[in-house]
């Protein structure tokens, strides 16, 4: 059971529910809560979920990130109609995967959640892909334990003094073999998971990097079920997807757009043939306001799944139950907070 005092102590939880909701929440067993930018909710309330999207991204690099590089009001105004359209088309929960040092803005996400009625989830953790451009310097001097303590503090106390808490851990690595810094942040993610129960989503360069991640997590006693293989579509050898899913890892095909529908269908048919759709997540990796470009550059919509992919899935004999498994059941299980050990 959850510790009611521990969570009610933090005001964020009080903003989202009546006493009846809180009774339901704290009567729930472990792994039956989700953390949004507006506080705790039940996984069953997530409903249709876009599991890997972005609203704001700043690619300048960790060593150049400073406050004031963008106008939050402008970003809000730019993103709002796209989020409202996604909601109108059936999205209930929106998971923003932009990490700190790459443009994470928890206050902006809360404003957008309040304005749209969407459940929005943000993250803790560091992104070590792209040749470590987005890692702060202290990653190279601190231990995995020290890094984990930073991330655990965000879970316990909130992000940047806002009281807004992360709902998962976002990290990233390039192709195998992983660098020492990349291995360190995966170790830190394992430590953080064991302390918080937050799911670990890892941007992954290829199938061999996926295997190396799982080995690191397993060394710390963390189950593959606690890990999401982000951008699994970048690995063309489908045997890696099947092997990861058989270990109970989440396999995320999150590059859905107008040009990738057939490829996504192919991946999903392959997973279906192995009866592994219950380990699959699908999203678009879409958006976003790009800091440094005029008016944020081109903002891509979040509608390819509802407008294109789902109708095509139906044409390929995917049932309503299978589609609901991918977009409702699986996200609720994948992002539920709870420690998953070997």
């Amino acid at each position: 059971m959850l510790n009611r005092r521990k969570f009610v102590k933090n005001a964020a939880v009080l903003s989202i529910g009546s006493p009846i909701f809180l009774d339901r929440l704290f009567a729930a067993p472990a792994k039956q809560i989700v953390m949004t930018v507006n506080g705790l909710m039940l996984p069953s309330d997530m409903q249709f979920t876009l599991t890997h999207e972005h609203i704001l991204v700043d690619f300048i690099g960790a060593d150049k990130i400073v406050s004031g590089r963008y106008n939050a009001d402008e970003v809000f105004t730019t993103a709002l109609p796209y989020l409202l359209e996604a909601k109108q088309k059936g999205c209930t929960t929106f998971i923003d995967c932009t990490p700190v040092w790459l443009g994470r803005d928890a206050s902006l996400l809360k404003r957008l959640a309040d304005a749209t009625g969407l459940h929005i989830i943000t993250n803790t953790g560091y992104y070590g892909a792209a040749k470590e451009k987005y890692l702060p310097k202290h990653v190279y001097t601190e231990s995995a334990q020290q890094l984990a303590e930073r991330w655990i503090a965000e879970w316990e106390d909130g992000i940047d003094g806002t009281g807004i808490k992360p709902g998962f851990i976002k990290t990233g690595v390039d192709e195998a073999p992983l660098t020492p810094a990349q291995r360190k942040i995966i170790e830190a993610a394992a430590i953080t998971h064991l302390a918080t129960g937050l799911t670990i989503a890892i941007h992954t360069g290829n199938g061999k990097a996926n295997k190396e991640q799982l080995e690191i997590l397993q060394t710390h006693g963390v189950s593959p079920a606690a890990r999401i293989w982000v951008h699994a579509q970048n690995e063309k050898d489908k045997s890696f997807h099947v092997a990861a899913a058989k270990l109970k890892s989440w396999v995320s095909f999150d590059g859905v757009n107008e040009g990738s529908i057939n490829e996504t269908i192919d991946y999903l048919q392959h997973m279906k043939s192995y009866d592994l759709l219950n380990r699959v997540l699908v999203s678009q990796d879409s958006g976003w306001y790009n800091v440094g470009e005029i008016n944020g550059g081109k903002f891509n919509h979040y509608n390819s799944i509802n407008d294109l992919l789902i109708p095509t899935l139906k044409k390929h004999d995917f049932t309503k139950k299978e589609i609901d498994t991918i977009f409702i059941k699986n996200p609720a299980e994948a992002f539920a907070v709870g420690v998953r050990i070997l």
Side-chain angles (χ1 to χ4, degrees):
M1 299 286 287
L2 294 171
N3 184 323
R4 186 182 184 107
R5 174 184 289 183
K6 179 178 179 180
F7 283 100
V8 173
K9 177 182 177 183
N10 298 287
V13 69
L14 298 177
S15 68
I16 63 170
S18 65
I20 294 175
F21 171 83
L22 291 175
D23 287 343
R24 287 176 62 213
L25 180 67
F26 288 97
K31 292 184 65 175
Q32 289 298 312
I33 62 163
V34 170
M35 182 63 76
T36 77
V37 295
N38 275 319
L40 294 171
M41 65 182 251
L42 297 170
S44 58
D45 292 333
M46 289 175 67
Q47 292 302 300
F48 191 97
T49 300
L50 296 177
T51 54
H52 190 105
E53 308 295 341
H54 298 275
I55 291 171
L56 168 74
V57 172
D58 188 346
F59 291 115
I60 195 170
D63 59 335
K64 297 181 179 65
I65 284 277
V66 293
S67 62
R69 277 185 42 78
Y70 59 90
N71 183 314
D73 291 338
E74 181 177 284
V75 182
F76 176 88
T77 301
T78 300
L80 182 61
Y82 292 95
L83 292 169
L84 288 171
E85 186 178 26
K87 183 182 179 185
Q88 188 274 329
K89 289 179 180 290
C91 177
T92 301
T93 301
F94 181 102
I95 299 179
D96 187 275
C97 289
T98 301
V100 66
W101 305 106
L102 238 166
R104 182 190 67 178
D105 187 332
S107 295
L108 173 66
L109 296 181
K110 187 179 187 308
R111 285 181 64 189
L112 287 165
D114 292 341
T116 62
L118 287 168
H119 302 302
I120 296 180
I121 298 174
T122 189
N123 61 83
T124 191
Y126 292 163
Y127 182 87
K131 298 182 179 179
E132 303 172 10
K133 179 179 178 180
Y134 306 105
L135 289 180
K137 291 181 179 178
H138 61 252
V139 168
Y140 301 98
T141 59
E142 293 185 355
S143 67
Q145 179 66 45
Q146 288 173 311
L147 296 177
E149 288 170 1
R150 291 175 179 269
W151 306 346
I152 294 166
E154 290 194 330
W155 166 251
E156 293 180 343
D157 303 322
I159 295 168
D160 298 331
T162 64
I164 298 168
K165 297 187 176 186
F168 67 106
I169 303 161
K170 172 67 183 292
T171 65
V173 300
D174 292 317
E175 295 186 355
L178 305 188
T179 67
Q182 290 169 351
R183 292 185 64 87
K184 187 189 294 186
I185 61 173
I186 302 305
E187 291 176 17
I191 296 166
T192 303
H193 172 75
L194 294 173
T196 66
L198 293 175
T199 298
I200 306 165
I202 309 177
H203 170 115
T204 303
N206 61 2
K208 291 182 179 179
N210 144 71
K211 289 181 66 177
E212 195 169 345
Q213 293 165 26
L214 290 177
E215 289 168 0
I216 295 168
L217 296 177
Q218 290 172 0
T219 296
H220 287 267
V222 175
S223 168
R227 194 281 307 250
I228 300 171
W229 175 0
V230 174
H231 305 329
Q233 72 275 2
N234 292 339
E235 174 54 67
K236 304 309 178 184
D237 183 344
K238 298 184 184 72
S239 67
F240 282 103
H241 306 149
V242 171
K246 284 183 175 180
L247 291 173
K248 305 301 183 184
S249 173
W250 298 101
V251 180
S252 180
F253 303 108
D254 40 46
V256 178
N257 56 52
E258 290 84 349
S260 67
I261 300 302
N262 290 337
E263 179 185 54
T264 304
I265 294 290
D266 184 46
Y267 285 131
L268 295 179
Q269 286 178 320
H270 189 75
M271 297 300 277
K272 180 179 177 178
S273 72
Y274 283 88
D275 196 25
L276 290 171
L277 286 181
N278 65 332
R279 305 311 300 174
V280 166
L281 300 172
V282 175
S283 205
Q284 299 159 134
D285 194 20
S286 194
W288 48 73
Y289 186 100
N290 192 339
V291 177
E293 294 191 6
I294 297 174
N295 299 319
K298 182 183 178 182
F299 201 111
N300 296 306
H301 63 74
Y302 303 111
N303 305 325
S304 294
I305 285 174
N306 276 303
D307 288 353
L308 299 175
L309 180 64
I310 289 178
T312 309
L313 284 170
K314 292 176 179 177
K315 290 179 182 178
H316 284 80
D317 298 322
F318 281 75
T319 66
K320 181 180 185 301
K321 182 178 180 180
E322 289 169 336
I323 294 169
D324 287 349
T325 292
I326 294 169
F327 294 105
I328 298 175
K329 181 178 178 293
N330 290 354
E333 182 179 346
F335 287 90
V337 178
V339 175
R340 281 145 282 185
I341 58 175
L342 292 173

